[in-house]
Amino acid sequence: MKKIIAFLGNDIFFNKKTALSLFGFNLLAMLISLIFPYLNYIFIHYLTDGHLTIKILSLILLGLIALLSIQSGINYLSQIVMVRIEKKYHQSLRKRLLNQLYLTDYDKKSIDINYLLSRDILAVDNWLEKILSRLFIECLELICILFLLFKIQPKLTVVSIIISFTSFLLLKMVSQKLSKVGEAYRNLDKEAQKSELDILDNYAELKISHLQSEFIDKQNSIWERQNHAFAKLKKIELFFTIQNATDKFLLELMFIYLIGGYFVLNGQLNIAELILFSNYYILCNGLINNIRNYLIDYRANIAPYLKDLIDYLDANSQMAFSGIEEKATISKAGADLDIILSNVAYKNALNKEIFKSANLKIPFGQSIGIYGSSGSGKSTLLNIIRGKLSPSSGKLSIGNWYPSEIDPDSLAKIISYVSQEPLIVDGTIKENLLMINPKFNDEEIINACRQGGLGKYAKEGPDGLQKKTGKNGKFLSGGEKQRLSFVRAILSDSPIMLLDEPTAALDKDNERLIVNKLSSYAGKKTIIVVSHRKDTLQFVEHKINLELL
């Protein structure tokens, strides 16, 4: 719970004034809702006593109209505040996710990231609106109503609490079952979409290997399990709906008329007090149902999403390997961060062996060029080094650590990666560069642009750092996207640089600029370059044919 509060607090309660104004609006709305039943009580009281006059009736009607007008205005203002909070929270959270996305360098096609950036955020946002705007106020309102019920008739209140609490426990058991089935369905949904992506990404190879039927059968099996879980989920939801309707009938009608009527017959309540009690009790039961539904909704639909977001963003959940950050700082001064491959082998999703028993030692500060035929595992090796993939067998270490065991944030601080298809978010060039660290100033960014081949944009304005990149960098050329990725690597200043075909989309002049910059890191950083271009590999100390490892 502490993690959840800390997580929400980072982005939601950014402005105490805004949060207090929302609380104030909801508090006023609550007080007005408590006055309505009392006006009804006054009307019934005067009516049964025979003292109801036109003047009293007019005053009651004017009071109702005034309260309704005030309540409508308050609801409108609270909605405006809520929309502002949601907008700022959503933008802030999405920005944090994208920053983390770059640091951990997830694949753009990763279904987990699609969930984080779309479904997870939407689910948390929807539940958050209930938390901010209603849940706390409804708990406070429930306490006030219980106090009023005790003032009207203590014995009747005790009986009503016992009945409501019994119903609450019954539906709690249903909610736990609903939570388990909901989580199982969500996991199957993710598994199904991952499987679909695997089939689409590897369809050509599957067809050549005559394995498409096997993978389609596997996909059908997942769909069948998903449909079964969905049907089970709907059955539990139907039972929940029926139980809610039964509760409403038993608690709000039979209880009031039977038990309340008994108290009236025994002279412990009059008609006006019974109606006042029933109105407050119906409000009370509605609030209990709302609070219960929030909790059920949280367990069934929100908890898995929120857990994924917190696990993804939680900077305090670092493993025992966080000492790698200190090691990285030392390495910039010339200490050891050797990369060692010991009998490393890797098989892909189709169980095809990419390479086997690779042995290699790359001392810190060396520059290595890796080449080989298509499919020999060059990009795969870089992904293993940066912890994106785990070897099928053997071990790969960086200094005294294994990449797969290092916290992603820490690993991103010692390894920068320039990919063939860099991650470009829909924004400006400057925003894309600030993803790795929002604290860079304009001078640092401009210098890095000049060194990395983006000198054309090394200035302020719409034709410079403020140039729009478009979705997935559609307003940039292939070469500009690669150079933007290289500028990020320059800014990150990590001791290890991995580059996958960094000049594939560049002309000769820009290729020469990139090569000269890489040459300047000789002895200061470990550089591992995968490239088919001989000119790109001319600066490296050693060239390795991966097929001969």
Side-chain angles (χ1 to χ4, degrees), residues 490-503:
I490 293 173
L491 285 168
S492 67
D493 196 26
S494 55
I496 298 174
M497 291 182 70
L498 308 179
L499 303 98
D500 191 357
E501 298 288 355
T503 60

Side-chain angles (χ1 to χ4, degrees), residues 260-277:
Y262 172 80
F263 276 84
V264 171
L265 291 174
N266 282 275
Q268 299 179 45
L269 278 176
N270 59 42
I271 296 296
E273 288 173 336
L274 175 61
I275 292 174
L276 180 61
F277 186 94

Side-chain angles (χ1 to χ4, degrees), residues 5 37 80 86 113 130 172 182 236 276 285 292 310 339 361 376 381 388 396 412 436 442 472 506 529 540:
I5 293 172
I80 291 176
E86 279 188 334
I113 296 304
K130 296 174 185 176
K172 183 180 179 183
I236 297 174
L276 180 61
N285 197 45
R292 180 184 61 203
I310 292 172
I339 299 173
K361 180 177 181 179
S376 60
L381 179 61
K388 179 73 183 292
L396 182 142
I436 58 174
D442 288 350
N472 296 325
L506 303 186
V529 184
V540 301

Side-chain angles (χ1 to χ4, degrees), residues 195-329:
S195 181
E196 288 171 10
L197 285 175
D198 284 341
I199 292 173
L200 292 173
D201 290 344
N202 300 289
Y203 186 75
E205 194 167 347
L206 286 168
K207 194 171 182 180
I208 293 170
S209 305
H210 303 290
L211 294 173
Q212 65 267 39
S213 297
E214 179 182 335
F215 270 73
I216 290 173
D217 288 343
K218 178 185 174 183
Q219 181 67 33
N220 286 334
S221 174
I222 295 172
W223 281 334
E224 286 178 8
R225 287 187 287 132
Q226 186 181 6
N227 289 335
H228 177 72
F230 182 75
K232 194 173 182 180
L233 184 65
K234 289 303 173 184
K235 286 180 182 177
I236 297 174
E237 287 179 348
L238 178 61
F239 175 81
F240 180 72
T241 303
I242 294 172
Q243 180 67 32
N244 264 336
T246 305
D247 275 359
K248 186 175 181 65
F249 174 73
L250 290 175
L251 297 180
E252 294 184 6
L253 296 176
M254 291 188 65
F255 172 74
I256 294 296
Y257 290 123
L258 292 179
I259 302 179
Y262 172 80
F263 276 84
V264 171
L265 291 174
N266 282 275
Q268 299 179 45
L269 278 176
N270 59 42
I271 296 296
E273 288 173 336
L274 175 61
I275 292 174
L276 180 61
F277 186 94
S278 65
N279 286 335
Y280 279 136
Y281 178 71
I282 289 171
L283 276 177
C284 176
N285 197 45
L287 290 170
I288 291 173
N289 284 334
N290 287 344
I291 294 167
R292 180 184 61 203
N293 290 339
Y294 293 155
L295 297 177
I296 289 172
D297 188 33
Y298 172 78
R299 291 177 64 90
N301 301 315
I302 307 305
Y305 300 133
L306 197 55
K307 181 180 181 300
D308 285 348
L309 288 169
I310 292 172
D311 288 347
Y312 183 64
L313 293 168
D314 187 7
N316 297 318
S317 64
Q318 298 197 5
M319 305 177 189
F321 300 92
S322 59
I324 193 77
E325 295 181 24
E326 181 181 351
K327 187 74 173 178
T329 305

Side-chain angles (χ1 to χ4, degrees), residues 108-174:
K108 286 185 290 185
K109 296 179 180 178
S110 169
I111 196 65
D112 289 324
I113 296 304
N114 288 335
Y115 266 80
L116 285 169
L117 296 181
S118 56
R119 296 190 186 186
D120 289 8
I121 291 181
L122 182 61
V124 173
D125 266 354
N126 290 338
W127 192 74
L128 178 66
E129 180 179 358
K130 296 174 185 176
I131 291 295
L132 280 178
S133 61
R134 294 304 309 161
L135 182 56
F136 182 76
I137 291 295
E138 286 182 356
C139 289
L140 184 61
E141 187 175 0
L142 180 61
I143 294 170
C144 293
I145 289 176
L146 287 173
F147 173 77
L148 292 172
L149 290 174
F150 268 106
K151 293 288 288 183
I152 298 169
Q153 175 48 253
K155 292 180 181 179
L156 189 57
T157 303
V158 171
V159 174
S160 67
I161 290 174
I162 292 172
I163 294 175
S164 296
F165 185 69
T166 303
S167 173
F168 182 86
L169 291 179
L170 178 62
L171 284 181
K172 183 180 179 183
M173 291 188 291
V174 179

Side-chain angles (χ1 to χ4, degrees), residues 100 103 314-333 335-337 398 400-401 405-415 492-495:
Q100 195 81 355
L103 286 175
D314 187 7
N316 297 318
S317 64
Q318 298 197 5
M319 305 177 189
F321 300 92
S322 59
I324 193 77
E325 295 181 24
E326 181 181 351
K327 187 74 173 178
T329 305
I330 298 171
S331 298
K332 293 175 185 178
D336 162 50
L337 267 181
I398 300 175
N400 297 320
W401 296 273
E405 298 173 321
I406 302 172
D407 173 73
D409 285 355
S410 303
L411 191 61
K413 292 180 180 178
I414 65 165
I415 296 178
S492 67
D493 196 26
S494 55

Side-chain angles (χ1 to χ4, degrees), residues 50-93:
H51 296 141
L52 185 65
T53 63
I54 296 297
K55 182 178 180 181
I56 294 174
L57 183 60
S58 300
L59 288 173
I60 292 173
L61 288 174
L62 286 174
L64 286 171
I65 293 170
L67 288 174
L68 285 171
S69 301
I70 295 170
Q71 191 176 49
S72 298
I74 289 171
N75 288 336
Y76 175 74
L77 291 174
S78 65
Q79 282 300 314
I80 291 176
V81 175
M82 193 65 226
V83 167
R84 289 178 180 174
I85 289 179
E86 279 188 334
K87 184 178 179 181
K88 290 189 178 182
Y89 162 68
H90 191 98
Q91 289 176 345
S92 178
L93 178 57

